[in-house]
Amino acid sequence: MKTVTLPDGTELAAIGQGTWNMGDDESRRHDEIQALRTGIDQELQVIDTAEMYGNGRSERLVREAIANRRRNVLLVSKVLPSNASYDDVLAACDRSLERLGTDYLDLYLLHWRGRVPLAETVAAFEQLKGEGKIKRWGVSNFDTDDMEELWNVEDGQNCAINQVLYNLTARGIEYDLIPWQKEKGIPIMAYCPLAQGDRKEILHNAAVRELAKTYDVSVSQIALAWTIQSGHVISIPKAGQAPHVMENAEAANLVLNKEDLAKIDKEFPPPTSKVPLEIV
Ligand code: NDP
């Protein structure tokens, strides 16, 4: 299985699980919990949630899914920018821990940049680390200039990951953000790796369909496998059904060769100049 290494040497499966919109619909709850458990059993360690998702409903659902499996999970949650001041980060983290039924997060991210100075949020993250409430911290939706700014803040270089939009139809980060982070040894966590609402463009693409046929896999598996080819990206597809999770886990074993990647480039060209980071 393809893996990605965090700055502290922790090795993780390059596919994890997203949970946005999970827990919102009672009739899907059972399937969603089963899906997440299936993923853990398939050794997809990363589970990504956020205080924002369903106002805590996603975190509560994750609590149920990881019960008795906590040690097999690398649990990620995110603090809203409106809670990014020093005291508010500490309080928001306690609330997330409570909802998740755990006494530590493996990774705590700033969901996106707001008005609070980065130094203040980083100081709170470092405090939480010192207290053992989080193991590491990172950011989300940071473009290259944001990362550079973070790098120059006290302890900013302790950032473990940047979670951003990345899929076949959104490749802008390949121009400068991925190279910048590669040089610094900070992996990317790719959100919406299956392009969420815009999947038709991928699903109906003849070249991708042809590749799926060649490898006897689904179009989604090709799209997902493509996101992790560099070895520097962990993808976190959200799948509310166990069969989808099984497919996604298998995509971590799918290796695309140079010719495959060239075919994909023809259909979904890589950026040739700076593209501002897209945000969902
Ligand atoms: P994704 O690109 O992961 O797409 C999710 C959709 O793909 C769902 O409808 C799901 O259906 C479907 N799907 C999953 N696996 C398969 C498969 N094998 N075959 C066919 N369909 C499949 O979109 P998300 O927006 O959910 O992004 C992933 C995660 O990234 C989020 O859940 C969240 O954790 C994170 N995120 C972070 C953001 C940030 O600002 N930091 C912003 C957006 C997302 P089904 O559920 O029925 O299986």
Side-chain angles (χ1 to χ4, degrees), residues 18-20 48 53 78 111 140-141 163 191-196 199 220 236-241 244 247-248 280:
T19 66
W20 191 16
D48 176 76
Y53 298 164
K78 310 185 204 80
H111 209 147
S140 177
N141 296 304
Q163 184 182 112
Y191 73 67
C192 302
L194 293 169
Q196 209 190 23
R199 299 180 62 234
S220 296
I236 48 164
K238 172 256 174 187
Q241 318 172 33
H244 280 170
E247 267 195 22
N248 297 347
V280 167

PDB file of all heavy atoms in Angstrom, residues 18-20 48 53 78 111 140-141 163 191-196 199 220 236-241 244 247-248 280, ligand 1:
ATOM      1  N   GLY A  18     -12.523  10.923   4.761  1.00  0.00           N
ATOM      2  CA  GLY A  18     -13.153  12.189   5.113  1.00  0.00           C
ATOM      3  C   GLY A  18     -14.516  11.940   5.727  1.00  0.00           C
ATOM      4  O   GLY A  18     -15.090  10.857   5.568  1.00  0.00           O
ATOM      5  N   THR A  19     -15.064  12.948   6.403  1.00  0.00           N
ATOM      6  CA  THR A  19     -16.359  12.743   7.087  1.00  0.00           C
ATOM      7  C   THR A  19     -17.297  13.934   6.959  1.00  0.00           C
ATOM      8  O   THR A  19     -18.253  14.053   7.724  1.00  0.00           O
ATOM      9  CB  THR A  19     -16.157  12.443   8.588  1.00  0.00           C
ATOM     10  OG1 THR A  19     -15.602  13.615   9.208  1.00  0.00           O
ATOM     11  CG2 THR A  19     -15.270  11.251   8.837  1.00  0.00           C
ATOM     12  N   TRP A  20     -17.029  14.836   6.018  1.00  0.00           N
ATOM     13  CA  TRP A  20     -17.918  15.987   5.844  1.00  0.00           C
ATOM     14  C   TRP A  20     -19.307  15.468   5.450  1.00  0.00           C
ATOM     15  O   TRP A  20     -19.402  14.593   4.586  1.00  0.00           O
ATOM     16  CB  TRP A  20     -17.362  16.907   4.754  1.00  0.00           C
ATOM     17  CG  TRP A  20     -18.055  18.233   4.671  1.00  0.00           C
ATOM     18  CD1 TRP A  20     -18.862  18.807   5.604  1.00  0.00           C
ATOM     19  CD2 TRP A  20     -17.959  19.154   3.580  1.00  0.00           C
ATOM     20  NE1 TRP A  20     -19.277  20.039   5.173  1.00  0.00           N
ATOM     21  CE2 TRP A  20     -18.747  20.277   3.934  1.00  0.00           C
ATOM     22  CE3 TRP A  20     -17.296  19.163   2.353  1.00  0.00           C
ATOM     23  CZ2 TRP A  20     -18.883  21.379   3.096  1.00  0.00           C
ATOM     24  CZ3 TRP A  20     -17.434  20.256   1.527  1.00  0.00           C
ATOM     25  CH2 TRP A  20     -18.217  21.351   1.894  1.00  0.00           C
ATOM     26  N   ASP A  48     -10.609  12.157   9.016  1.00  0.00           N
ATOM     27  CA  ASP A  48     -10.617  13.616   9.058  1.00  0.00           C
ATOM     28  C   ASP A  48     -12.004  14.141   9.401  1.00  0.00           C
ATOM     29  O   ASP A  48     -12.982  13.801   8.743  1.00  0.00           O
ATOM     30  CB  ASP A  48     -10.205  14.166   7.680  1.00  0.00           C
ATOM     31  CG  ASP A  48     -10.289  15.675   7.627  1.00  0.00           C
ATOM     32  OD1 ASP A  48      -9.389  16.326   8.195  1.00  0.00           O
ATOM     33  OD2 ASP A  48     -11.261  16.210   7.048  1.00  0.00           O
ATOM     34  N   TYR A  53     -18.189  20.530  10.864  1.00  0.00           N
ATOM     35  CA  TYR A  53     -19.038  19.586  10.130  1.00  0.00           C
ATOM     36  C   TYR A  53     -20.294  19.238  10.934  1.00  0.00           C
ATOM     37  O   TYR A  53     -20.225  18.584  11.982  1.00  0.00           O
ATOM     38  CB  TYR A  53     -18.263  18.301   9.779  1.00  0.00           C
ATOM     39  CG  TYR A  53     -17.068  18.531   8.870  1.00  0.00           C
ATOM     40  CD1 TYR A  53     -16.081  17.571   8.727  1.00  0.00           C
ATOM     41  CD2 TYR A  53     -16.918  19.709   8.141  1.00  0.00           C
ATOM     42  CE1 TYR A  53     -14.985  17.771   7.893  1.00  0.00           C
ATOM     43  CE2 TYR A  53     -15.830  19.929   7.311  1.00  0.00           C
ATOM     44  CZ  TYR A  53     -14.871  18.959   7.198  1.00  0.00           C
ATOM     45  OH  TYR A  53     -13.788  19.171   6.386  1.00  0.00           O
ATOM     46  N   LYS A  78     -10.430  19.915  13.116  1.00  0.00           N
ATOM     47  CA  LYS A  78     -10.050  21.274  12.705  1.00  0.00           C
ATOM     48  C   LYS A  78     -10.781  22.311  13.527  1.00  0.00           C
ATOM     49  O   LYS A  78     -11.961  22.131  13.853  1.00  0.00           O
ATOM     50  CB  LYS A  78     -10.400  21.508  11.227  1.00  0.00           C
ATOM     51  CG  LYS A  78      -9.905  20.432  10.300  1.00  0.00           C
ATOM     52  CD  LYS A  78     -10.174  20.769   8.847  1.00  0.00           C
ATOM     53  CE  LYS A  78     -10.233  19.524   8.012  1.00  0.00           C
ATOM     54  NZ  LYS A  78     -11.520  18.807   8.081  1.00  0.00           N
ATOM     55  N   HIS A 111      -8.693  25.421  10.174  1.00  0.00           N
ATOM     56  CA  HIS A 111      -9.516  25.072   9.006  1.00  0.00           C
ATOM     57  C   HIS A 111      -9.242  25.990   7.806  1.00  0.00           C
ATOM     58  O   HIS A 111      -9.184  25.540   6.675  1.00  0.00           O
ATOM     59  CB  HIS A 111     -10.994  25.111   9.400  1.00  0.00           C
ATOM     60  CG  HIS A 111     -11.844  24.172   8.614  1.00  0.00           C
ATOM     61  ND1 HIS A 111     -12.938  23.549   9.129  1.00  0.00           N
ATOM     62  CD2 HIS A 111     -11.782  23.742   7.333  1.00  0.00           C
ATOM     63  CE1 HIS A 111     -13.499  22.779   8.211  1.00  0.00           C
ATOM     64  NE2 HIS A 111     -12.814  22.891   7.116  1.00  0.00           N
ATOM     65  N   SER A 140      -4.924  24.264   6.968  1.00  0.00           N
ATOM     66  CA  SER A 140      -5.752  23.851   5.843  1.00  0.00           C
ATOM     67  C   SER A 140      -6.059  25.090   5.001  1.00  0.00           C
ATOM     68  O   SER A 140      -6.188  26.191   5.541  1.00  0.00           O
ATOM     69  CB  SER A 140      -7.042  23.219   6.373  1.00  0.00           C
ATOM     70  OG  SER A 140      -7.894  22.880   5.304  1.00  0.00           O
ATOM     71  N   ASN A 141      -6.163  24.872   3.707  1.00  0.00           N
ATOM     72  CA  ASN A 141      -6.463  25.963   2.768  1.00  0.00           C
ATOM     73  C   ASN A 141      -5.411  27.065   2.802  1.00  0.00           C
ATOM     74  O   ASN A 141      -5.732  28.245   2.622  1.00  0.00           O
ATOM     75  CB  ASN A 141      -7.865  26.534   3.050  1.00  0.00           C
ATOM     76  CG  ASN A 141      -8.951  25.501   2.791  1.00  0.00           C
ATOM     77  OD1 ASN A 141      -9.048  24.957   1.693  1.00  0.00           O
ATOM     78  ND2 ASN A 141      -9.753  25.196   3.809  1.00  0.00           N
ATOM     79  N   GLN A 163      -3.813  20.827   4.496  1.00  0.00           N
ATOM     80  CA  GLN A 163      -4.923  20.122   3.828  1.00  0.00           C
ATOM     81  C   GLN A 163      -5.565  21.073   2.816  1.00  0.00           C
ATOM     82  O   GLN A 163      -6.068  22.134   3.192  1.00  0.00           O
ATOM     83  CB  GLN A 163      -5.948  19.679   4.878  1.00  0.00           C
ATOM     84  CG  GLN A 163      -7.079  18.860   4.282  1.00  0.00           C
ATOM     85  CD  GLN A 163      -8.127  18.464   5.306  1.00  0.00           C
ATOM     86  OE1 GLN A 163      -9.256  18.924   5.270  1.00  0.00           O
ATOM     87  NE2 GLN A 163      -7.762  17.605   6.242  1.00  0.00           N
ATOM     88  N   TYR A 191      -8.082  17.194  -0.057  1.00  0.00           N
ATOM     89  CA  TYR A 191      -9.531  17.046   0.162  1.00  0.00           C
ATOM     90  C   TYR A 191     -10.273  17.095  -1.166  1.00  0.00           C
ATOM     91  O   TYR A 191      -9.734  17.545  -2.173  1.00  0.00           O
ATOM     92  CB  TYR A 191     -10.047  18.031   1.207  1.00  0.00           C
ATOM     93  CG  TYR A 191     -10.187  19.501   0.884  1.00  0.00           C
ATOM     94  CD1 TYR A 191     -11.114  19.967  -0.042  1.00  0.00           C
ATOM     95  CD2 TYR A 191      -9.447  20.445   1.592  1.00  0.00           C
ATOM     96  CE1 TYR A 191     -11.281  21.317  -0.283  1.00  0.00           C
ATOM     97  CE2 TYR A 191      -9.601  21.812   1.360  1.00  0.00           C
ATOM     98  CZ  TYR A 191     -10.527  22.236   0.413  1.00  0.00           C
ATOM     99  OH  TYR A 191     -10.691  23.580   0.181  1.00  0.00           O
ATOM    100  N   CYS A 192     -11.513  16.602  -1.150  1.00  0.00           N
ATOM    101  CA  CYS A 192     -12.315  16.439  -2.388  1.00  0.00           C
ATOM    102  C   CYS A 192     -11.515  15.743  -3.482  1.00  0.00           C
ATOM    103  O   CYS A 192     -11.524  16.187  -4.640  1.00  0.00           O
ATOM    104  CB  CYS A 192     -12.844  17.767  -2.908  1.00  0.00           C
ATOM    105  SG  CYS A 192     -13.858  18.656  -1.743  1.00  0.00           S
ATOM    106  N   PRO A 193     -10.816  14.649  -3.153  1.00  0.00           N
ATOM    107  CA  PRO A 193      -9.990  13.995  -4.181  1.00  0.00           C
ATOM    108  C   PRO A 193     -10.834  13.406  -5.305  1.00  0.00           C
ATOM    109  O   PRO A 193     -10.317  13.137  -6.386  1.00  0.00           O
ATOM    110  CB  PRO A 193      -9.259  12.899  -3.396  1.00  0.00           C
ATOM    111  CG  PRO A 193     -10.149  12.608  -2.230  1.00  0.00           C
ATOM    112  CD  PRO A 193     -10.761  13.933  -1.870  1.00  0.00           C
ATOM    113  N   LEU A 194     -12.139  13.220  -5.033  1.00  0.00           N
ATOM    114  CA  LEU A 194     -13.032  12.697  -6.080  1.00  0.00           C
ATOM    115  C   LEU A 194     -13.858  13.823  -6.703  1.00  0.00           C
ATOM    116  O   LEU A 194     -14.860  13.580  -7.370  1.00  0.00           O
ATOM    117  CB  LEU A 194     -13.938  11.608  -5.501  1.00  0.00           C
ATOM    118  CG  LEU A 194     -13.178  10.343  -5.074  1.00  0.00           C
ATOM    119  CD1 LEU A 194     -14.071   9.419  -4.262  1.00  0.00           C
ATOM    120  CD2 LEU A 194     -12.637   9.610  -6.292  1.00  0.00           C
ATOM    121  N   ALA A 195     -13.424  15.038  -6.451  1.00  0.00           N
ATOM    122  CA  ALA A 195     -14.028  16.229  -7.064  1.00  0.00           C
ATOM    123  C   ALA A 195     -15.504  16.419  -6.708  1.00  0.00           C
ATOM    124  O   ALA A 195     -16.215  17.153  -7.392  1.00  0.00           O
ATOM    125  CB  ALA A 195     -13.839  16.223  -8.571  1.00  0.00           C
ATOM    126  N   GLN A 196     -15.947  15.756  -5.701  1.00  0.00           N
ATOM    127  CA  GLN A 196     -17.270  15.982  -5.094  1.00  0.00           C
ATOM    128  C   GLN A 196     -18.376  16.268  -6.094  1.00  0.00           C
ATOM    129  O   GLN A 196     -18.764  15.401  -6.872  1.00  0.00           O
ATOM    130  CB  GLN A 196     -17.144  17.135  -4.095  1.00  0.00           C
ATOM    131  CG  GLN A 196     -18.118  17.059  -2.967  1.00  0.00           C
ATOM    132  CD  GLN A 196     -18.125  18.336  -2.160  1.00  0.00           C
ATOM    133  OE1 GLN A 196     -17.750  19.399  -2.646  1.00  0.00           O
ATOM    134  NE2 GLN A 196     -18.567  18.238  -0.922  1.00  0.00           N
ATOM    135  N   ARG A 199     -18.009  15.696 -10.359  1.00  0.00           N
ATOM    136  CA  ARG A 199     -17.415  14.428 -10.738  1.00  0.00           C
ATOM    137  C   ARG A 199     -17.703  14.014 -12.174  1.00  0.00           C
ATOM    138  O   ARG A 199     -16.996  13.196 -12.728  1.00  0.00           O
ATOM    139  CB  ARG A 199     -17.845  13.340  -9.756  1.00  0.00           C
ATOM    140  CG  ARG A 199     -17.364  13.682  -8.360  1.00  0.00           C
ATOM    141  CD  ARG A 199     -17.748  12.662  -7.331  1.00  0.00           C
ATOM    142  NE  ARG A 199     -17.137  11.389  -7.641  1.00  0.00           N
ATOM    143  CZ  ARG A 199     -17.813  10.261  -7.763  1.00  0.00           C
ATOM    144  NH1 ARG A 199     -19.116  10.265  -7.631  1.00  0.00           N
ATOM    145  NH2 ARG A 199     -17.198   9.138  -8.020  1.00  0.00           N
ATOM    146  N   SER A 220     -13.393   6.064 -10.294  1.00  0.00           N
ATOM    147  CA  SER A 220     -13.042   6.717  -9.020  1.00  0.00           C
ATOM    148  C   SER A 220     -11.685   6.228  -8.522  1.00  0.00           C
ATOM    149  O   SER A 220     -10.889   7.012  -7.981  1.00  0.00           O
ATOM    150  CB  SER A 220     -14.099   6.412  -7.951  1.00  0.00           C
ATOM    151  OG  SER A 220     -15.332   6.951  -8.328  1.00  0.00           O
ATOM    152  N   ILE A 236      -8.100  12.045   1.232  1.00  0.00           N
ATOM    153  CA  ILE A 236      -9.114  11.680   2.229  1.00  0.00           C
ATOM    154  C   ILE A 236     -10.512  11.687   1.615  1.00  0.00           C
ATOM    155  O   ILE A 236     -11.345  12.537   1.949  1.00  0.00           O
ATOM    156  CB  ILE A 236      -9.040  12.598   3.470  1.00  0.00           C
ATOM    157  CG1 ILE A 236      -8.980  14.093   3.062  1.00  0.00           C
ATOM    158  CG2 ILE A 236      -7.860  12.227   4.345  1.00  0.00           C
ATOM    159  CD1 ILE A 236      -9.282  15.049   4.213  1.00  0.00           C
ATOM    160  N   PRO A 237     -10.802  10.738   0.709  1.00  0.00           N
ATOM    161  CA  PRO A 237     -12.149  10.668   0.144  1.00  0.00           C
ATOM    162  C   PRO A 237     -13.169  10.401   1.253  1.00  0.00           C
ATOM    163  O   PRO A 237     -12.865   9.708   2.220  1.00  0.00           O
ATOM    164  CB  PRO A 237     -12.076   9.476  -0.808  1.00  0.00           C
ATOM    165  CG  PRO A 237     -10.986   8.611  -0.248  1.00  0.00           C
ATOM    166  CD  PRO A 237      -9.979   9.573   0.314  1.00  0.00           C
ATOM    167  N   LYS A 238     -14.356  10.967   1.060  1.00  0.00           N
ATOM    168  CA  LYS A 238     -15.454  10.636   1.970  1.00  0.00           C
ATOM    169  C   LYS A 238     -16.305   9.568   1.289  1.00  0.00           C
ATOM    170  O   LYS A 238     -16.726   9.723   0.150  1.00  0.00           O
ATOM    171  CB  LYS A 238     -16.287  11.890   2.260  1.00  0.00           C
ATOM    172  CG  LYS A 238     -17.555  11.618   3.046  1.00  0.00           C
ATOM    173  CD  LYS A 238     -18.745  11.660   2.142  1.00  0.00           C
ATOM    174  CE  LYS A 238     -20.025  11.255   2.864  1.00  0.00           C
ATOM    175  NZ  LYS A 238     -21.153  11.156   1.904  1.00  0.00           N
ATOM    176  N   ALA A 239     -16.514   8.463   1.996  1.00  0.00           N
ATOM    177  CA  ALA A 239     -17.359   7.401   1.454  1.00  0.00           C
ATOM    178  C   ALA A 239     -18.300   6.935   2.548  1.00  0.00           C
ATOM    179  O   ALA A 239     -17.872   6.457   3.598  1.00  0.00           O
ATOM    180  CB  ALA A 239     -16.497   6.236   0.964  1.00  0.00           C
ATOM    181  N   GLY A 240     -19.578   7.072   2.286  1.00  0.00           N
ATOM    182  CA  GLY A 240     -20.576   6.705   3.288  1.00  0.00           C
ATOM    183  C   GLY A 240     -21.068   5.277   3.148  1.00  0.00           C
ATOM    184  O   GLY A 240     -21.999   4.872   3.839  1.00  0.00           O
ATOM    185  N   GLN A 241     -20.455   4.529   2.249  1.00  0.00           N
ATOM    186  CA  GLN A 241     -20.875   3.141   2.031  1.00  0.00           C
ATOM    187  C   GLN A 241     -19.631   2.248   2.023  1.00  0.00           C
ATOM    188  O   GLN A 241     -18.654   2.566   1.340  1.00  0.00           O
ATOM    189  CB  GLN A 241     -21.549   2.999   0.674  1.00  0.00           C
ATOM    190  CG  GLN A 241     -22.488   4.114   0.309  1.00  0.00           C
ATOM    191  CD  GLN A 241     -22.974   3.997  -1.129  1.00  0.00           C
ATOM    192  OE1 GLN A 241     -23.136   2.899  -1.647  1.00  0.00           O
ATOM    193  NE2 GLN A 241     -23.178   5.120  -1.775  1.00  0.00           N
ATOM    194  N   HIS A 244     -17.738   1.420  -1.242  1.00  0.00           N
ATOM    195  CA  HIS A 244     -16.911   2.529  -1.738  1.00  0.00           C
ATOM    196  C   HIS A 244     -15.584   2.584  -0.981  1.00  0.00           C
ATOM    197  O   HIS A 244     -14.537   2.829  -1.562  1.00  0.00           O
ATOM    198  CB  HIS A 244     -17.651   3.861  -1.580  1.00  0.00           C
ATOM    199  CG  HIS A 244     -18.667   4.121  -2.653  1.00  0.00           C
ATOM    200  ND1 HIS A 244     -19.576   5.142  -2.593  1.00  0.00           N
ATOM    201  CD2 HIS A 244     -18.894   3.477  -3.835  1.00  0.00           C
ATOM    202  CE1 HIS A 244     -20.332   5.129  -3.691  1.00  0.00           C
ATOM    203  NE2 HIS A 244     -19.942   4.119  -4.442  1.00  0.00           N
ATOM    204  N   GLU A 247     -13.227  -0.013  -2.262  1.00  0.00           N
ATOM    205  CA  GLU A 247     -12.650   0.441  -3.540  1.00  0.00           C
ATOM    206  C   GLU A 247     -11.528   1.449  -3.289  1.00  0.00           C
ATOM    207  O   GLU A 247     -10.459   1.368  -3.887  1.00  0.00           O
ATOM    208  CB  GLU A 247     -13.712   1.167  -4.368  1.00  0.00           C
ATOM    209  CG  GLU A 247     -14.454   0.313  -5.336  1.00  0.00           C
ATOM    210  CD  GLU A 247     -15.208   1.179  -6.361  1.00  0.00           C
ATOM    211  OE1 GLU A 247     -14.838   2.348  -6.585  1.00  0.00           O
ATOM    212  OE2 GLU A 247     -16.186   0.648  -6.912  1.00  0.00           O
ATOM    213  N   ASN A 248     -11.809   2.394  -2.406  1.00  0.00           N
ATOM    214  CA  ASN A 248     -10.832   3.457  -2.157  1.00  0.00           C
ATOM    215  C   ASN A 248      -9.552   2.898  -1.539  1.00  0.00           C
ATOM    216  O   ASN A 248      -8.450   3.325  -1.877  1.00  0.00           O
ATOM    217  CB  ASN A 248     -11.444   4.541  -1.264  1.00  0.00           C
ATOM    218  CG  ASN A 248     -12.633   5.221  -1.925  1.00  0.00           C
ATOM    219  OD1 ASN A 248     -12.842   5.054  -3.132  1.00  0.00           O
ATOM    220  ND2 ASN A 248     -13.414   5.962  -1.170  1.00  0.00           N
ATOM    221  N   VAL A 280     -13.053  25.074  -1.253  1.00  0.00           N
ATOM    222  CA  VAL A 280     -14.459  24.650  -1.335  1.00  0.00           C
ATOM    223  C   VAL A 280     -15.270  25.384  -0.285  1.00  0.00           C
ATOM    224  O   VAL A 280     -14.868  25.459   0.861  1.00  0.00           O
ATOM    225  CB  VAL A 280     -14.562  23.130  -1.093  1.00  0.00           C
ATOM    226  CG1 VAL A 280     -16.000  22.719  -0.846  1.00  0.00           C
ATOM    227  CG2 VAL A 280     -14.026  22.389  -2.296  1.00  0.00           C
TER     228      VAL A 280
HETATM  229  P1  NDP B   1     -14.956  13.661  -2.151  1.00  0.00           P
HETATM  230  O1  NDP B   1     -14.183  14.137  -3.314  1.00  0.00           O
HETATM  231  O2  NDP B   1     -14.305  12.760  -1.177  1.00  0.00           O
HETATM  232  O3  NDP B   1     -16.282  12.994  -2.715  1.00  0.00           O
HETATM  233  C1  NDP B   1     -17.235  12.406  -1.883  1.00  0.00           C
HETATM  234  C2  NDP B   1     -18.281  11.750  -2.769  1.00  0.00           C
HETATM  235  O4  NDP B   1     -17.677  10.673  -3.490  1.00  0.00           O
HETATM  236  C3  NDP B   1     -19.424  11.135  -1.979  1.00  0.00           C
HETATM  237  O5  NDP B   1     -20.604  11.409  -2.681  1.00  0.00           O
HETATM  238  C4  NDP B   1     -19.132   9.618  -1.989  1.00  0.00           C
HETATM  239  O6  NDP B   1     -20.315   8.856  -2.009  1.00  0.00           O
HETATM  240  C5  NDP B   1     -18.429   9.481  -3.304  1.00  0.00           C
HETATM  241  N1  NDP B   1     -17.499   8.325  -3.310  1.00  0.00           N
HETATM  242  C6  NDP B   1     -16.538   8.014  -2.417  1.00  0.00           C
HETATM  243  N2  NDP B   1     -15.872   6.903  -2.783  1.00  0.00           N
HETATM  244  C7  NDP B   1     -16.428   6.498  -3.955  1.00  0.00           C
HETATM  245  C8  NDP B   1     -16.183   5.425  -4.843  1.00  0.00           C
HETATM  246  N3  NDP B   1     -15.212   4.543  -4.603  1.00  0.00           N
HETATM  247  N4  NDP B   1     -16.954   5.310  -5.961  1.00  0.00           N
HETATM  248  C9  NDP B   1     -17.930   6.203  -6.222  1.00  0.00           C
HETATM  249  N5  NDP B   1     -18.208   7.249  -5.422  1.00  0.00           N
HETATM  250  C10 NDP B   1     -17.458   7.410  -4.293  1.00  0.00           C
HETATM  251  O7  NDP B   1     -15.562  14.965  -1.442  1.00  0.00           O
HETATM  252  P2  NDP B   1     -15.569  15.558   0.025  1.00  0.00           P
HETATM  253  O8  NDP B   1     -16.056  16.942  -0.111  1.00  0.00           O
HETATM  254  O9  NDP B   1     -16.297  14.709   0.997  1.00  0.00           O
HETATM  255  O10 NDP B   1     -14.030  15.626   0.437  1.00  0.00           O
HETATM  256  C11 NDP B   1     -13.397  14.626   1.189  1.00  0.00           C
HETATM  257  C12 NDP B   1     -13.134  15.066   2.615  1.00  0.00           C
HETATM  258  O11 NDP B   1     -12.207  16.147   2.640  1.00  0.00           O
HETATM  259  C13 NDP B   1     -14.352  15.629   3.366  1.00  0.00           C
HETATM  260  O12 NDP B   1     -15.252  14.624   3.741  1.00  0.00           O
HETATM  261  C14 NDP B   1     -13.669  16.348   4.490  1.00  0.00           C
HETATM  262  O13 NDP B   1     -13.253  15.454   5.488  1.00  0.00           O
HETATM  263  C15 NDP B   1     -12.471  16.975   3.773  1.00  0.00           C
HETATM  264  N6  NDP B   1     -12.725  18.358   3.286  1.00  0.00           N
HETATM  265  C16 NDP B   1     -11.972  19.386   3.834  1.00  0.00           C
HETATM  266  C17 NDP B   1     -12.174  20.683   3.451  1.00  0.00           C
HETATM  267  C18 NDP B   1     -11.354  21.767   4.066  1.00  0.00           C
HETATM  268  O14 NDP B   1     -11.679  22.946   3.874  1.00  0.00           O
HETATM  269  N7  NDP B   1     -10.306  21.453   4.797  1.00  0.00           N
HETATM  270  C19 NDP B   1     -13.173  21.053   2.431  1.00  0.00           C
HETATM  271  C20 NDP B   1     -13.854  19.906   1.870  1.00  0.00           C
HETATM  272  C21 NDP B   1     -13.619  18.621   2.284  1.00  0.00           C
HETATM  273  P3  NDP B   1     -20.818   7.969  -0.747  1.00  0.00           P
HETATM  274  O15 NDP B   1     -20.735   8.852   0.451  1.00  0.00           O
HETATM  275  O16 NDP B   1     -22.179   7.582  -1.137  1.00  0.00           O
HETATM  276  O17 NDP B   1     -19.878   6.776  -0.621  1.00  0.00           O
END
